[in-house]
């Protein structure tokens, strides 16, 4: 069994701040209290699979295939490393009810960071497996005997309650989810979106339905694709088609060619047709509830929107269509275009526990009750996104919240402005007294108060009397929050202009209710210095429940008051706080003991390296290290060896790589980072002297690390670092590196210092490189 190291260089030279990334790397958990999703929180059947084990899948044989339908128009996918083919996995199942050398094969597709979609009969059958399948291996982008993204054991299986105990054809409930422990696999493969489409869209004559998978009548592990212009039938339960496919492609995604939206799951066949289960609202409700319970995340969108009937469009058109059409020059209230598609998000009081949402640049649109009167202005709301960003409390129901860190995102100006206030800044101002009280020693006088209060990024409130010249006052006290609305914002919230109503432009109030778009103020208005387009400007900022409004006196008329980009800020924050983290522990399984002398807080980038200057990554066996984003992915054959050194000379710095064993090993191997290396001028792939930091792999586990110093006379071991049991799996990504400063070296694993040495014999500067060795002989 070969050991294929995947070495990803993530930060060849950079900076290290002790403990800075520990919180980011921690597994996040959710405490939803009494959140019950209207009965969907426990829908479906869940099965936890045993831990991964070593197995040589190449020695196994698939079951005898059965023809599904028609003449063969399939084409083999020869490059399975590019999307969408990389996101399609061969599923190999082992079960004690099958002969020892026989496997059950199906197809699954990534539809989220750690989740694949397949057919229920691929994972559960009383007839074939005696219930749940015993083991299931996921081989993304498999191509014959090559598995470019490794082989991974499924951790959890889910099927709907309605699926029968036998795998008889024709059931509406033949769909399943396969959950992996490691979400980083999808970062390499990519993933599909589930699309809940209208019947009219599915019946389009140019739909171009496509499916690709692993049919059993072809060479084992080869992927084949086929398509047809349109479905031959569409009903509430199934998509009927004659796309060529064979047994083994069960569970394959069926997608629309134009946008690769997955609309169905290959299920069963008749002598004349194939049938795919149609994805609809009810299935998505089940999927969302299952992932809420299992900690997975689904890419999806809806063009068949419950209760919408154009409501999202109508709300946008009223204020922003005149802007888009040039009928009136003024700021956007929502934005030029949506920044997301319509999708489900959890909300306890919505039907089945999920409401539809649509993210605009300036806010988030929501339909919580699709059965309400669509003619009221509150049918589409835009949520308390600002409050959630300020507090970190993501709202999942009227009285249900999920706690996260407040957003360290600038409320206004350039995203990379290091000095402007953030949502976390404004969170400290929620309970500040209204401007009718003393602010920084200046007595203000109720609604006649001239606003001169300032705030900086740290939340320090000051006073700048020169700002009185702008004439902005505290105009309207809102009793519900005990904060004033600044006069410039109050005027804007009650202004009139060109709007789109009943198919025509009319002059009317921009908002039927002054607080419709903004909600109530949750802070006072403060002047702040923010960077806009690279230039520092003085801007008045006020946080409202639903928006952040800014006032820039120097802007042209119509653009002095603007809405901040709360929608895009919220979507970025939400993506980060709901990011799926690996469920297995990192190196050591526990906290290593603290080292006596922690590494220095270097605080700045000390050196950089251009990967374009590296020699071609190639072993003597002809295996090439393929470029991947800002690094390389390297695969070694049995007994393989690869060493490569970067051009450039480095002294002090933080040098790190990421490594994992892409497949289990019998005899083990090592992955090393080299630093301060002195290359041989005649052969730059080998060293005269330098330092090494290596991870040692033993079969399925990562068991130790070692630091060595090499000269022409041989290797001197400087120190060994044991991992702390339970040992982390060899196939899990591990970041390891060295902080070098003078003659001191600190060794860092997954952002945690694990050891240090002082060694002043070796070179004080040199090149940086990497090395992998595979000890397997077969």
């Amino acid at each position: 069994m070969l050991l294929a190291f995947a070495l990803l260089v993530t930060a060849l030279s950079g900076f290290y701040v002790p403990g800075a990334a520990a919180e980011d790397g921690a597994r996040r958990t959710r405490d939803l209290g009494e959140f019950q999703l209207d009965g969907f929180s426990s829908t479906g059947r869940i099965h936890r699979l045993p831990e991964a084990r070593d197995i040589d899948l190449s020695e196994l044989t698939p079951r005898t295939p059965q023809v599904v339908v028609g003449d063969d128009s399939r084409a083999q996918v020869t490059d399975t490393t590019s999307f969408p083919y990389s996101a399609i996995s061969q599923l190999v199942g082992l079960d004690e009810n099958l002969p020892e050398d026989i496997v059950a094969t199906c197809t699954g597709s990534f539809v989220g960071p750690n989740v694949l979609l397949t057919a229920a009969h691929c994972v559960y059958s009383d007839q074939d497996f005696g219930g749940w399948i015993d083991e299931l291996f996921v081989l993304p982008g498999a191509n014959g005997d090559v598995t470019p993204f490794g082989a991974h054991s499924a951790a959890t299986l889910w099927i709907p309650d309605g699926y029968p105990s036998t795998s008889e054809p024709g059931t509406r409930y033949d769909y399943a989810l396969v959950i992996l422990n490691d979400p980083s696999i999808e970062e390499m493969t990519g993933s599909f979106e589930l699309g809940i489409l209208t019947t009219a869209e599915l019946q389009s004559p140019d739909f171009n339905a496509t499916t690709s998978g692993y049919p059993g009548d072809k060479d084992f592990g080869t992927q084949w694709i086929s398509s047809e212009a349109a479905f031959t039938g569409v009903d509430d339960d199934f998509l009927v088609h004659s796309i060529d496919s064979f047994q083994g492609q069960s569970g394959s995604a069926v997608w629309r060619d134009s946008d690769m939206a997955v609309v169905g799951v290959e299920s069963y066949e008749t002598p004349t047709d194939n049938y795919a289960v149609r994805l609809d609202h009810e299935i998505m409700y089940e999927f969302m509830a299952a992932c809420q319970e299992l900690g997975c995340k689904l890419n999806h969108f809806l063009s068949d929107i419950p209760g919408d009937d154009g409501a999202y469009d109508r709300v946008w058109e009223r204020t922003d269509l005149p802007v888009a059409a040039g009928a009136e020059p003024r700021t956007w209230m929502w934005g030029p275009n949506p920044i997301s598609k319509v999708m489900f998000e959890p909300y306890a009081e919505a039907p089945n526990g999920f409401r539809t949402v649509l993210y605009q640049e300036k806010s988030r649109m929501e339909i919580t009750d699709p059965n309400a009167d669509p003619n009221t202005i509150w049918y589409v709301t835009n949520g308390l996104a600002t409050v959630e960003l300020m507090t970190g409390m993501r709202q999942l129901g009227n009285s249900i919240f999920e706690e996260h860190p407040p957003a360290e995102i600038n409320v206004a100006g350039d995203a990379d402005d290091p000095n402007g206030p953030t949502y976390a800044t404004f969170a400290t101002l929620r309970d500040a007294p209204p401007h009718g009280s003393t602010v920084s020693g200046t007595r203000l006088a109720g609604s006649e108060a001239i606003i001169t209060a300032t705030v900086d990024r740290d939340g320090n409130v000051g006073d700048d009397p020169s700002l009185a010249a702008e004439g902005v006052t505290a105009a309207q006290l809102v009793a519900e929050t005990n904060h004033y609305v600044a006069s410039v914002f109050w005027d804007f919230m009650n202004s009139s202009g060109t709007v789109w109503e009943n198919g025509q432009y009319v002059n009317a109030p921009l908002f039927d209710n002054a607080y419709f778009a903004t909600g109530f103020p949750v802070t006072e208005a403060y002047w702040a210095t923010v960077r806009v387009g690279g230039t520092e400007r003085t801007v008045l900022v006020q946080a409202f429940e639903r928006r952040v409004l800014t006032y820039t006196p120097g802007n042209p008329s119509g653009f002095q008051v603007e809405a901040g980009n709360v929608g895009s800020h919220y979507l970025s924050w939400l993506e980060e706080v709901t990011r799926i983290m690996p469920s297995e522990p990192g190196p050591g399984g526990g906290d290593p003991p603290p080292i006596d002398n922690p590494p220095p807080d270097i605080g700045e980038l000390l050196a950089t390296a251009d990967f374009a200057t590296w020699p071609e990554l190639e072993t003597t066996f002809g295996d090439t290290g393929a470029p991947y984003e800002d690094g390389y992915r390297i695969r070694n054959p049995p007994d393989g060896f690869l060493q490569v050194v970067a051009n450039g000379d480095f002294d002090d710095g933080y040098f790190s790589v990421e490594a994992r064993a892409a497949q289990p090993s019998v005899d083990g191997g090592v992955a090393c980072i080299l630093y301060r290396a002195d290359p041989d001028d005649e052969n730059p792939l080998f060293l005269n002297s330098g330092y090494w930091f290596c991870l040692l792999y033993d079969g399925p586990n990562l068991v130790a690390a070692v630091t060595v110093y090499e000269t022409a006379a041989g290797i001197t071991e400087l120190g060994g670092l044991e991992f702390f049991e339970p040992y982390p799996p060899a196939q899990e990504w591990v970041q390891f590196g060295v902080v070098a400063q003078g003659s001191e070296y600190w060794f860092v694993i997954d952002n945690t210092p694990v050891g240090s040495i002082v060694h002043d014999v070796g070179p004080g500067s040199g090149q940086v490189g990497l090395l992998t060795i595979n000890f397997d002989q077969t």
Side-chain angles (χ1 to χ4, degrees):
M1 192 63 171
L2 63 81
L3 172 69
F5 277 112
L7 223 64
L8 178 61
V9 181
T10 55
L12 188 64
S13 295
F15 64 93
Y16 176 75
V17 179
E23 184 176 9
D24 291 339
R27 174 167 166 80
R28 296 184 175 90
T29 59
R30 303 181 184 185
D31 182 4
L32 300 183
E34 300 300 318
F35 193 19
Q36 286 301 319
L37 302 183
D38 283 3
F40 277 82
S41 61
S42 59
T43 190
R45 285 172 277 171
I46 297 170
H47 180 60
R48 311 283 183 179
L49 288 167
E51 294 184 4
R53 66 184 179 95
D54 292 338
I55 186 167
D56 189 346
L57 298 175
S58 64
E59 298 178 356
L60 303 176
T61 305
R63 289 184 297 177
T64 302
Q66 297 175 350
V67 174
V68 173
V69 68
D71 297 331
D72 194 353
S73 63
R74 296 167 294 170
Q76 184 176 357
V77 178
T78 57
D79 180 10
T80 60
T81 63
S82 60
F83 186 80
Y85 314 110
S86 55
I88 299 169
S89 297
Q90 185 178 29
L91 303 181
V92 178
L94 304 180
D95 197 274
E96 62 181 11
N97 289 296
L98 299 174
E100 186 174 346
D101 61 343
I102 298 295
V103 298
T105 62
C106 276
T107 302
S109 302
F110 276 97
V111 290
N114 64 333
V115 61
L116 295 93
L117 174 69
T118 190
H121 75 259
C122 293
V123 301
Y124 186 96
S125 170
D126 279 348
Q127 176 181 331
D128 293 334
F129 312 135
W132 293 101
I133 196 163
D134 290 336
E135 293 181 275
L136 188 70
F137 293 87
V138 177
L139 285 65
N143 194 2
D145 60 356
V146 177
T147 53
F149 307 105
H152 310 276
S153 294
T156 306
L157 307 174
W158 176 93
I159 60 174
D161 281 332
Y163 186 69
S165 60
T166 60
S167 55
E168 296 176 358
T171 173
R172 158 76 171 134
Y173 301 99
D174 193 13
Y175 47 88
L177 299 178
V178 177
I179 316 298
L180 302 180
N181 278 336
D182 185 359
S184 66
I185 302 164
E186 183 261 355
E187 295 175 6
M188 298 182 287
T189 64
S191 56
F192 290 92
E193 280 187 317
L194 303 177
I196 308 303
L197 308 187
T198 65
T199 298
E201 289 176 299
L202 293 168
Q203 290 174 336
S204 170
D206 57 356
F207 187 89
N208 290 321
T210 305
T211 188
S212 189
Y214 291 88
D217 65 315
K218 301 294 185 182
D219 288 342
F220 186 76
T222 57
Q223 188 179 146
W224 296 74
I225 187 172
S226 186
S227 64
E228 65 180 3
F231 293 116
T232 57
V234 175
D235 61 29
D236 290 343
D237 296 333
F238 292 102
L239 306 172
V240 186
H241 64 85
S242 57
I243 306 172
D244 292 316
S245 57
F246 282 69
Q247 184 180 13
Q249 285 183 257
S250 290
S252 295
V254 179
W255 70 82
R256 180 169 58 183
D257 182 64
S258 62
D259 61 355
M260 299 182 188
V262 172
V263 297
V265 186
E266 286 287 81
S267 176
Y268 76 101
E269 77 284 344
T270 68
T272 57
D273 293 298
N274 292 329
Y275 286 77
V277 175
R278 175 183 175 178
L279 301 183
D280 61 8
H281 297 141
E282 296 306 316
I283 292 177
M284 274 308 305
Y285 286 138
E286 289 184 309
F287 283 173
M288 294 292 290
C291 277
Q292 194 74 14
E293 183 171 356
L294 297 175
C296 53
K297 192 174 181 181
L298 292 163
N299 307 325
H300 72 284
F301 72 93
L302 305 92
S303 58
D304 185 8
I305 306 167
D308 171 55
D309 194 26
Y312 283 125
D313 289 340
R314 288 197 301 272
V315 173
W316 177 86
E317 288 172 351
R318 189 177 190 280
T319 54
D320 281 4
L321 181 60
V323 179
E328 182 167 329
R330 66 167 181 256
T331 185
W332 299 99
M333 279 313 300
W334 302 97
N337 295 293
I339 60 172
S340 78
K341 300 173 183 177
V342 177
M343 51 192 172
F344 282 127
E345 284 189 1
Y347 201 81
E349 282 72 28
N352 300 303
F354 297 93
R355 64 182 175 188
T356 64
V357 299
L358 175 64
Y359 284 90
Q360 303 280 357
E361 184 179 61
K362 308 293 183 181
S363 190
R364 177 187 67 214
M365 292 181 174
E366 309 159 345
I367 298 178
T368 300
D369 183 2
N371 299 314
D373 183 357
N375 297 312
T376 68
I377 65 169
W378 303 109
Y379 183 70
V380 175
T381 58
N382 58 125
L384 308 181
T386 306
V387 175
E388 294 183 46
L389 287 167
M390 291 167 59
T391 63
M393 301 296 289
R394 182 188 177 202
Q395 190 165 9
L396 299 175
N398 291 347
S399 57
I400 300 171
F401 298 86
E402 183 180 83
E403 185 174 358
H404 298 288
E408 295 285 354
I409 299 173
N410 291 355
V411 296
D414 298 343
D416 60 351
D417 177 8
N419 299 315
T422 67
Y423 291 94
T425 303
F426 271 79
T428 66
L429 304 173
R430 295 185 68 195
D431 297 326
H435 278 333
S437 304
T438 299
V439 177
S440 295
T442 302
R443 182 69 182 177
L444 304 177
S447 61
E448 298 178 358
I450 303 294
I451 298 177
T452 58
T454 62
V455 69
D456 63 14
R457 191 180 186 88
D458 294 328
N460 298 313
V461 174
D463 182 63
D464 184 353
S466 68
L467 293 170
E470 302 298 342
V472 180
T473 64
Q476 177 72 20
L477 181 64
V478 178
E480 288 83 352
T481 60
N482 196 35
H483 288 297
Y484 279 102
V485 180
S487 56
V488 288
F489 301 140
W490 186 243
D491 291 344
F492 174 76
M493 293 159 61
N494 290 278
S495 64
S496 295
T498 302
V499 299
W500 180 260
E501 284 186 351
N502 301 318
Q504 60 182 339
Y505 293 119
V506 298
N507 189 276
L510 293 185
F511 312 107
D512 291 330
N513 181 292
Y515 301 107
F516 169 73
T518 64
F520 296 140
V522 291
T523 69
E524 295 296 301
Y526 297 90
W527 294 96
T529 300
V530 301
R531 195 174 67 196
V532 182
T535 302
E536 286 193 344
R537 307 185 70 176
T538 300
V539 176
L540 187 72
V541 184
Q542 185 163 18
F544 293 79
E545 291 173 312
R546 309 180 192 281
R547 306 290 178 104
V548 170
L549 295 184
T550 63
Y551 170 69
T552 309
N555 280 359
S557 177
F559 297 92
Q560 290 180 321
V561 173
E562 297 177 290
N565 295 335
V566 170
S568 59
H569 293 164
Y570 187 92
L571 197 57
S572 297
W573 174 78
L574 182 62
E575 177 66 25
E576 173 60 25
V577 299
T578 61
R579 182 165 51 98
I580 301 296
M581 304 298 292
S583 60
E584 293 292 333
D591 294 327
I595 61 176
D596 294 333
N597 58 329
D601 183 354
I602 298 172
E604 62 182 302
L605 187 69
L606 297 179
T608 60
D610 183 0
F611 287 106
T613 67
W614 282 39
E616 182 177 356
L617 304 186
E618 185 171 348
T619 72
T620 55
F621 295 85
D623 294 88
T624 300
Y628 178 69
E629 295 180 353
D630 59 345
Y632 289 87
R633 186 185 296 116
I634 300 162
R635 294 176 55 82
N636 276 354
D639 204 25
F641 175 91
L642 171 63
Q643 177 176 298
V644 62
V645 181
N647 294 334
D649 198 50
F650 307 98
D651 42 43
D652 290 350
Y654 172 41
F655 313 102
S656 70
V657 297
E658 287 186 14
R660 71 181 178 93
Q663 294 184 15
S665 164
V666 175
D667 298 321
V670 298
C672 303
I673 183 171
L674 289 63
Y675 57 101
R676 292 186 176 177
D678 181 16
D680 183 335
D681 293 337
E682 295 180 359
N683 187 352
L685 292 186
F686 292 90
L687 305 179
N688 281 332
S689 66
Y691 291 94
W692 307 56
F693 182 28
C694 302
L695 300 185
L696 306 182
Y697 292 81
D698 179 17
N701 293 321
L702 177 57
V703 296
V706 64
T707 63
V708 300
Y709 169 63
E710 184 194 50
T711 67
I715 291 178
T716 300
E717 182 170 334
L718 300 177
L721 305 167
E722 286 283 335
F723 285 92
F724 300 92
E725 296 190 54
Y727 294 129
Q731 293 178 259
E732 182 173 291
W733 282 108
V734 173
Q735 183 180 5
F736 66 107
V738 179
V739 178
Q741 187 174 66
S743 60
E744 291 188 88
Y745 306 94
W746 291 266
F747 307 103
V748 181
I749 298 177
D750 279 353
N751 297 297
T752 300
V754 293
S756 66
I757 61 169
V758 176
H759 194 260
D760 56 3
V761 178
S765 65
Q767 297 188 340
V768 180
L770 52 89
L771 165 74
T772 69
I773 301 176
N774 191 335
F775 295 149
D776 287 2
Q777 302 297 312
T778 58

